[in-house]
Amino acid sequence: MKAAITATAKYVPDEIMTNHDLELMLETNDEWIRTRTGISERRIMKDPGKATSFLCSEVARQLIEKRGMGAEDVELIIVATMTPDMLFPSTACLVQGMIGATNAWAFDLNAACSGFLFALNTAARFIESGAHRNVMVIGGDKMSSVVDYTDRSTAILFGDGAAGVILEPAESDDYGILDARLYSDGKNGKDHLLMAGGGSLNPASHETIEKRMHFIRQNGKQVFKAAVTAMADTAAEIMERNGLDAENISWLVPHQANQRIIHATAERMGLSEEKVMSNIARYGNTTAGTIPICLAELDEQQKLQTGSNLVLVSFGAGYTWGGMYIKWQ
Ligand code: UT7
């Protein structure tokens, strides 16, 4: 049995932070940001009382409504995030409580920007094995809670947002999640993209706050190089394993970290721009949110037909990366 996506939904906050807004806060400019990253604006959830669970519960409510299910019908909720409301309880448990999914069990999964792909592949096993008839998979991050708005090398990149899907048994084995290749490299990845403070190694203290350790730090150049190679290699691997080519692929759905990385991946696949989903200009990098937001927008715009071949690829902190082949049901 294969697992297929039967509903998609997204939620982004209304508040927009443009490149011009950032010009007022940092030594940067709209032209640099657009040409080096492809980003024009991002969404920021300004209400301090709202966190990742709010973004994800808005998605969860829409998913239930779109699928015509009751909240009590949901069997499992997996939330991919690296900005949980709290270290514990999990954000997935908070979402389960907020929507009243009283029969679901729920857990978080953290694979940073690859979180949604890792969660989707995990969820697929529960469907394929017959253990569950549905799984809700949501990727979401309130990145503004960990961004240092005095650091121009990272502040410009990230935005807040969430999206998700419902996975159910596919109508036939020809549809749904047909292949996935997921990777991690903690040896080479651990020092280049991280938030050092707040965990068990560096619990919050005056010192961690003074050293600004509760914010993201990134060695942009190093991560850029690793991301280009890993995303392009994995996309090529997924194509080769599944007999896909530039003609029969309908959409590349890539993690939205930098338009130049997206472009390099598409080029390696031989894909023309019109087959590449990109909304980084409007949302920036929403971490675990990027790929499901792309899926939800393609679905909203009715650009996914039965039989459409989708290649999803991601790269993020860890390092973590991967690719997935989905034939749309
Ligand atoms: O989602 C997780 C994975 N993350 C990624 O995939 C992100 C990967 N990295 C990147 O996307 C890029 O490396 C960045 C967008 C972060 C940076 O772009 P870059 O082309 O690698 O720039 P750079 O860091 O090499 O900086 C080039 C110049 C530097 O000035 P000098 O040394 O050449 O004088 C920077 O100081 O641009 C300067 N710079 C800026 N200038 C204006 C860096 N940030 C900014 C800025 N505004 N915001």
Side-chain angles (χ1 to χ4, degrees):
M1 187 158 37
K2 301 289 185 207
I5 293 172
T6 54
T8 66
K10 73 163 205 282
Y11 179 83
V12 292
D14 293 333
E15 299 96 328
I16 293 172
M17 182 187 277
T18 65
N19 291 348
H20 297 294
D21 295 330
L22 284 162
E23 284 174 357
L24 304 174
M25 300 156 65
L26 291 161
E27 185 67 44
T28 189
N29 61 80
D30 172 58
E31 211 245 326
W32 191 97
I33 301 172
R34 275 190 294 102
T35 53
R36 307 294 270 214
T37 71
I39 301 167
S40 297
E41 58 188 47
R42 67 289 290 143
R43 303 300 177 100
I44 303 293
M45 190 157 58
K46 296 234 169 91
D47 183 341
K50 289 180 178 161
T52 301
S53 66
F54 174 81
L55 299 170
C56 295
S57 63
E58 290 294 312
V59 172
R61 286 199 185 93
Q62 290 178 58
L63 286 172
I64 289 166
E65 195 184 314
K66 284 190 178 174
R67 195 64 193 118
M69 319 163 63
E72 66 286 353
D73 300 326
V74 179
E75 298 187 9
L76 167 59
I77 301 172
I78 308 179
V79 171
T81 187
M82 58 169 232
T83 52
D85 288 29
M86 294 167 267
L87 277 181
F88 63 90
S90 70
T91 300
C93 279
L94 302 178
V95 171
Q96 184 244 5
M98 286 159 95
I99 65 167
T102 45
N103 294 309
W105 60 294
F107 66 91
D108 284 2
L109 183 154
N110 180 354
C113 294
S114 298
F116 182 75
L117 277 198
F118 279 40
L120 196 57
N121 198 41
T122 303
R125 299 293 93 77
F126 289 101
I127 299 292
E128 291 161 359
S129 65
H132 286 299
R133 283 163 303 162
N134 65 65
V135 185
M136 185 180 273
V137 186
I138 301 174
D141 276 292
K142 185 185 176 184
M143 292 306 293
S144 60
S145 67
V146 293
V147 164
D148 180 351
Y149 286 101
T150 67
D151 173 10
R152 69 176 182 174
S153 69
T154 51
I156 56 154
L157 298 172
F158 297 98
D160 300 339
V165 302
I166 300 215
L167 267 194
E168 293 181 69
E171 280 161 18
S172 94
D173 284 358
D174 300 332
Y175 294 102
I177 296 173
L178 299 187
D179 193 24
R181 299 292 293 153
L182 303 178
Y183 298 96
S184 298
D185 181 0
K187 188 161 178 262
N188 290 306
K190 69 179 174 49
D191 298 326
H192 300 305
L193 180 49
L194 70 158
M195 187 174 93
S200 55
L201 181 62
N202 301 297
S205 67
H206 289 294
E207 195 195 348
T208 62
I209 290 171
E210 267 160 29
K211 289 186 172 164
R212 305 181 79 76
M213 288 166 74
H214 299 273
F215 293 120
I216 291 179
R217 293 288 168 241
Q218 173 172 244
N219 178 345
K221 256 200 190 342
Q222 196 79 30
V223 176
F224 185 92
K225 272 194 257 166
V228 165
T229 309
M231 284 187 38
D233 283 356
T234 314
E237 186 188 8
I238 289 283
M239 288 170 76
E240 197 179 320
R241 283 164 58 91
N242 296 285
L244 295 166
D245 56 36
E247 286 300 304
N248 60 22
I249 290 175
S250 313
W251 289 102
L252 167 64
V253 186
H255 172 50
Q256 312 278 307
N258 187 315
Q259 188 59 38
R260 290 183 291 145
I261 300 175
I262 296 172
H263 183 74
T265 307
E267 202 161 65
R268 173 78 170 277
M269 297 168 77
L271 282 189
S272 51
E273 288 297 321
E274 67 269 14
K275 289 187 170 189
V276 181
M277 178 58 190
S278 175
N279 54 22
I280 190 170
R282 287 179 286 128
Y283 303 128
N285 182 349
T286 56
T287 301
T290 60
I291 289 180
I293 291 175
C294 285
L295 285 175
E297 291 199 335
L298 285 171
D299 198 14
E300 249 166 53
Q301 294 160 14
Q302 301 183 330
K303 289 179 172 164
L304 301 174
Q305 274 91 41
T306 301
S308 292
N309 286 319
L310 314 186
V311 176
L312 283 49
V313 279
S314 70
F315 186 87
Y319 298 129
T320 54
W321 71 100
M324 186 178 272
Y325 166 37
I326 297 177
K327 191 180 274 288
W328 199 256
Q329 175 177 292

